Amino acid sequence: MSTGAAAPPITRRGPYDNPLSNSLRWLPPKVRGPVVEAGGMVDLLVKIVKSAVLHPRGYWVDVADDMYQTLKQASLPIAAAIFGFLIFMSILTVQFFAMAGATQLFGPLLLLQAMRTFTMWIVSMVVAGVIGSALTADIGARKVREEIDAMEVMGVDPIRDLAVPRVVSLTLLTTLISVPSIIVTIVSMQVGANYVAGQSSADFHSNLFANVSPVQVLAVVANCFLVGLLIGTICCYKGLHASGGAIGLGRAVNQAVVLSFVGVWVLQLAFNALLLGLFPNLGNFR
């Protein structure tokens, strides 16, 4: 009979063994799921940024190819959506200014609001609906076909090879789109001011240069950068966690687009509040 020491007990690790995530077990199931997904997206964002910054080589060819393909898909829809939506807003808004007898404020007021809100919303909706859905479908299809599992078995990091190039390309493309979007916004506002409000081009441009500052233009560019990073992270996360075959893949694409809209809405509230808090004079008309 052996008198040796008894073997140590076998311990099984559960989903809440981590001290930080131990508090999640007290949350209701309907709340726990969104919290876990939000934490997973933040973790994925940290890994993507860390990989892209610490090892900035080896993925720029894929970034250029993705930017070229997505630019062909999204440039015309973004320009057409911004121009058409702002013309529609011009027709509605000028009627309220005419009733108040302040038609001269139509150009600067709607232009500043359009740059901060309408332009960002349309850019984010088109980017999420056109580019983000395709990104989620591409990565999700690889996940459903177990290609990502095969990459992990062979020692290939799927985040480095799949997520980093797509998030970088989407972020850079959304940032580059910000400047043409501002130009399209100005052109559509000028058309509305000239043909709807009856305002001369000289008055419109004088109000434009008097009220639009470089801080506002840089704020739009920075906002587009954050929007692209947010949409790319959400779509990559939903694609990497897709399951359930074709039906599950379609559900993941739908969830990615909806979560992108919600995330952009929250981001806009925080960004505009911070921007106006740091630069309170941006809302003043001169």
Side-chain angles (χ1 to χ4, degrees):
M1 183 175 180
S2 176
T3 58
I10 299 176
T11 59
R12 299 183 182 273
R13 296 185 60 84
Y16 306 111
D17 288 340
N18 190 294
L20 183 61
S21 61
N22 186 39
S23 59
L24 293 179
R25 64 192 181 96
W26 301 106
L27 295 176
K30 292 183 179 180
V31 179
R32 188 186 308 147
V35 171
V36 171
E37 283 203 345
M41 293 176 188
V42 173
D43 181 65
L44 178 62
L45 176 61
V46 172
K47 291 180 180 178
I48 291 174
V49 173
K50 183 178 179 180
S51 178
V53 172
L54 296 182
H55 305 284
R57 294 182 180 181
Y59 58 84
W60 291 106
V61 176
D62 295 333
V63 169
D65 292 339
D66 290 337
M67 290 181 63
Y68 175 73
Q69 294 296 330
T70 53
L71 188 62
K72 291 194 304 181
Q73 296 176 354
S75 58
L76 183 59
I78 288 177
I82 293 176
F83 188 83
F85 182 79
L86 292 178
I87 286 292
F88 176 73
M89 291 298 300
S90 301
I91 297 174
L92 293 179
T93 309
V94 71
Q95 298 177 1
F96 293 98
F97 280 92
M99 294 172 60
T103 312
Q104 69 276 5
L105 296 178
F106 163 74
L109 178 61
L110 190 59
L111 178 62
L112 295 178
Q113 294 299 323
M115 289 177 59
R116 281 200 293 259
T117 57
F118 299 142
T119 302
M120 294 305 307
W121 267 110
I122 297 172
V123 170
S124 62
M125 285 190 293
V126 175
V127 169
V130 177
I131 306 175
S133 59
L135 189 155
T136 307
D138 181 23
I139 299 180
R142 297 172 184 266
K143 179 65 176 179
V144 171
R145 294 196 300 264
E146 298 182 355
E147 293 182 11
I148 295 180
D149 296 335
M151 294 174 62
E152 294 177 348
V153 169
M154 292 185 295
V156 179
D157 186 7
I159 296 178
R160 174 71 180 182
D161 284 8
L162 297 178
V164 171
R166 286 163 173 79
V167 173
V168 172
S169 64
L170 183 60
T171 304
L172 293 179
L173 186 61
T174 308
T175 306
L176 294 175
I177 286 176
S178 62
V179 177
S181 300
I182 295 174
I183 297 175
V184 173
T185 302
I186 294 174
V187 172
S188 61
M189 289 294 98
Q190 183 177 2
V191 172
N194 292 341
Y195 296 100
V196 181
Q199 188 178 15
S200 63
S201 299
D203 293 337
F204 176 81
H205 287 288
S206 64
N207 290 327
L208 171 65
F209 292 111
N211 291 280
V212 178
S213 63
V215 175
Q216 291 173 328
V217 177
L218 293 177
V220 173
V221 175
N223 200 353
C224 286
F225 175 84
L226 295 177
V227 166
L229 189 62
L230 175 67
I231 294 175
T233 303
I234 292 175
C235 293
C236 283
Y237 177 84
K238 299 304 293 187
L240 291 172
H241 291 80
S243 61
I247 297 177
L249 177 59
R251 188 182 301 110
V253 173
N254 184 38
Q255 292 176 355
V257 176
V258 174
L259 287 176
S260 297
F261 291 165
V262 175
V264 169
W265 181 70
V266 175
L267 176 63
Q268 295 308 301
L269 289 178
F271 184 86
N272 289 324
L274 181 61
L275 178 65
L276 295 177
L278 295 176
F279 303 96
N281 294 327
L282 291 180
N284 299 334
F285 298 109
R286 294 180 291 271

